[in-house]
Structure formats: C-alpha cells, structure tokens
Amino acid sequence: MDKFELIINNTDSFMDNASQSLDSELRKINLPEGKIEEIVTSRTRRVVCDKILGIFKVGELISTFINWNDDIDNEIREAKKEGLLLEYFNRCNKNESSVLELKTFLSNPQGNTLFNKILRILDDTPPDINLMAHLAEALKFIINSDFVSMFEEHKYALALIEQLTPQALTILADHHSWPDFPLTSSTSIAGKISSDWLDAFIGPYVRGRNISESRLIERIRNSMNELISKRLVQAIRLAGNRAKVQLTDMGSSLLRYVSKAG
C-alpha cells in the first residue's frame, strides 16, 4: 500500500506511524541533568506544569510538535488533492481533453478561485472517499459549464456543500432511493407537509437500504435533518395517508454538483 492509499484508506494507521516518528524526535531533546529546575523557575509555574514537559527543552519541544504537525498536515493535504484529481479523471476517462480542460480551468481567475474553494472544503475535513467523490463530481460539473458567467452560482453552491456533511451529500445523491412512507397524522399547506415527518421517513428508508445498526440509523437521521434544515428537501402529501420526500428547487440545483445522475 503506497502512502496515498494509507492516508486515505487507513488514516488511523498513518497517524499512528507518524506519532512514532514524533516520539523518536522528542526523545532527542531531553534536557541535561540539572537544567530542569532552571526551566521551571524561569517561567510561570502554569506554563510548564506537566511532568512530561518538565524533562524537555520547552522551545525545542514546541518546535518539534509544530514541525511534526506541519509535515503530517502537508502529507494529508497532498494525498487528498491527489484523491480528488484521481476521482475527477476517472469520471473523464482520463482522456487528453480532460487534462486540457482542467488546465484551462486552473489558468482562469474564476476557475482557479473555484478550484481553491474546493480544496479548502477538502482541507477542513479528515480524508473521506465519499466527499472526494462528491467534490470530483462538482469539479467536473463546474469545468463543463460556462464557469465564468456562472461564477457566483458555483461559489454559492460550493458554500452550501461546505455546510453539509459528506453523509448528507450522499443521501442527497441517493434521492432515487427515497421511498414513500405512511403518515397517519400530519398538517400540510398546499400539499407540503409542515409537521415533523423525519422519523416516519427514516424507518422505511433504512429498511429499504438494509441498514439495521442503530449508530448508522442515527447518522442517517442527522444527515436527513441537515437537508431539511437547509431547505433542500420537503415532504408532500400523497393519497391514502402516504407521503414522499422530494427535492426543493434549491436541492435540485445542488444535486447537479454532487451526483452525475442528478
């Protein structure tokens, strides 16, 4: 497994290996005997109150942590960028035209700004394959559009994507699997259900996806609630005390960015 695969698919293992290298660096900066008391007394006692800090040169300790964190952060950021572009090229069949389109996009002020916005969304989350897939789809959609004239629209969509968890984006992209569901008691306005319908929907949805683990069900509930709170979805009344969830206009617009089947 190369470093990219290790970081993306086994982040915990990568961080464990990295922490061992940090331990090795920390062992190199033990203070000579007789200097410990000097450090403690030369600073406020609350600065170096932990016994572990007391055996290190404080300046070198801080520098070691900062340098180690910078190195790990850079490696993870590069791996996420690589994952994003691999996902993008997979969607474009890795042909020559997709390379030229990406080059044109990055060379354009508006395109470069949008690309960096996508990278910032990646930077703010741990490595996540689903998020990379959604952002690669967004990148492809934006590149294939008139991204100069649609700059503000794309920027708004990316800002909305940034507010959603990867799980919420996945459920949005899975809209074709949303089932009808029974709703015996509800209030509605012009056919749109205004009372709480979330729990009534979650049961049929998770059963249809063969999901029974309570932890996953709760995550799905929270993710769907994100979509509701952002007004990306709504429930409408059907005949026979049944209802269904559908995308709002804003939800339909966002779907184009995160799902090729949108």
Side-chain angles (χ1 to χ4, degrees):
M1 180 181 293
D2 61 24
K3 182 175 289 186
F4 165 72
E5 292 176 329
L6 177 64
I7 292 175
I8 299 302
N9 298 319
N10 200 341
T11 308
D12 289 342
S13 177
F14 171 75
M15 294 302 295
D16 182 60
N17 291 337
S19 68
Q20 293 178 29
S21 70
L22 175 61
D23 289 339
S24 177
E25 291 299 314
L26 292 176
R27 283 193 292 269
K28 296 177 183 178
I29 59 174
N30 286 352
L31 276 177
E33 188 175 354
K35 290 290 185 180
I36 299 175
E37 188 174 346
E38 179 181 338
I39 291 176
V40 176
T41 56
S42 65
R43 299 172 182 269
T44 60
R45 293 184 179 183
R46 292 186 180 275
V47 173
V48 191
C49 59
D50 194 301
K51 292 181 180 179
I52 296 177
L53 292 181
I55 64 172
F56 293 114
K57 298 177 183 177
V58 175
E60 290 187 23
L61 176 69
I62 293 172
S63 177
T64 297
F65 273 117
I66 291 174
N67 291 336
W68 175 83
N69 186 68
D70 286 345
D71 289 343
I72 296 304
D73 184 55
N74 287 333
E75 287 193 46
I76 292 176
R77 290 177 68 184
E78 290 304 312
K80 289 192 288 188
K81 289 179 186 178
E82 182 179 343
L84 171 70
L85 292 178
L86 284 174
E87 287 283 348
Y88 167 73
F89 285 122
N90 284 338
R91 283 161 170 71
C92 301
N93 300 318
K94 300 179 182 178
N95 54 41
E96 183 178 353
S97 63
S98 64
V99 175
L100 295 175
E101 288 169 355
L102 180 61
K103 179 182 176 181
T104 300
F105 181 68
L106 295 178
S107 301
N108 176 275
Q110 286 86 357
N112 192 268
T113 298
L114 293 170
F115 182 71
N116 284 323
K117 175 64 175 177
I118 291 174
L119 293 184
R120 284 195 294 274
I121 296 173
L122 271 182
D123 285 344
D124 287 341
T125 61
D128 187 291
I129 292 295
N130 290 329
L131 179 59
M132 287 181 190
H134 294 314
L135 290 178
E137 197 62 48
L139 179 61
K140 180 183 176 184
F141 175 75
I142 292 171
I143 288 176
N144 289 335
S145 71
D146 184 356
F147 54 82
V148 174
S149 65
M150 295 178 65
F151 176 73
E152 292 298 331
E153 181 178 341
H154 291 329
K155 191 168 66 169
Y156 179 79
L158 291 176
L160 188 54
I161 288 172
E162 187 174 20
Q163 297 174 35
L164 296 169
T165 61
Q167 293 82 9
L169 293 172
T170 297
I171 291 178
L172 181 72
D174 192 40
H175 69 106
H176 290 304
S177 299
W178 296 347
D180 296 352
F181 56 96
L183 197 61
T184 55
S185 177
S186 66
T187 57
S188 61
I189 302 174
K192 298 178 183 178
I193 297 172
S194 56
S195 55
D196 186 13
W197 50 265
L198 179 57
D199 286 338
F201 165 79
I202 291 297
Y205 179 65
V206 297
R207 285 194 296 272
R209 305 297 284 170
N210 295 317
I211 297 171
S212 58
E213 187 177 343
S214 59
R215 179 178 60 87
L216 293 179
I217 293 174
E218 185 61 24
R219 185 180 298 175
I220 290 170
R221 178 182 287 104
N222 292 338
S223 298
M224 178 56 79
N225 197 42
E226 285 184 63
L227 301 179
I228 295 172
S229 65
K230 297 296 182 184
R231 299 184 178 180
L232 300 174
V233 299
Q234 61 188 9
I236 62 171
R237 182 180 297 281
L238 301 176
N241 291 324
R242 296 190 67 81
K244 72 173 183 178
V245 181
Q246 66 178 19
L247 296 165
T248 63
D249 290 342
M250 187 182 300
S252 296
S253 178
L254 187 64
L255 183 66
R256 302 176 300 165
Y257 290 84
V258 298
S259 172
K260 60 185 177 183

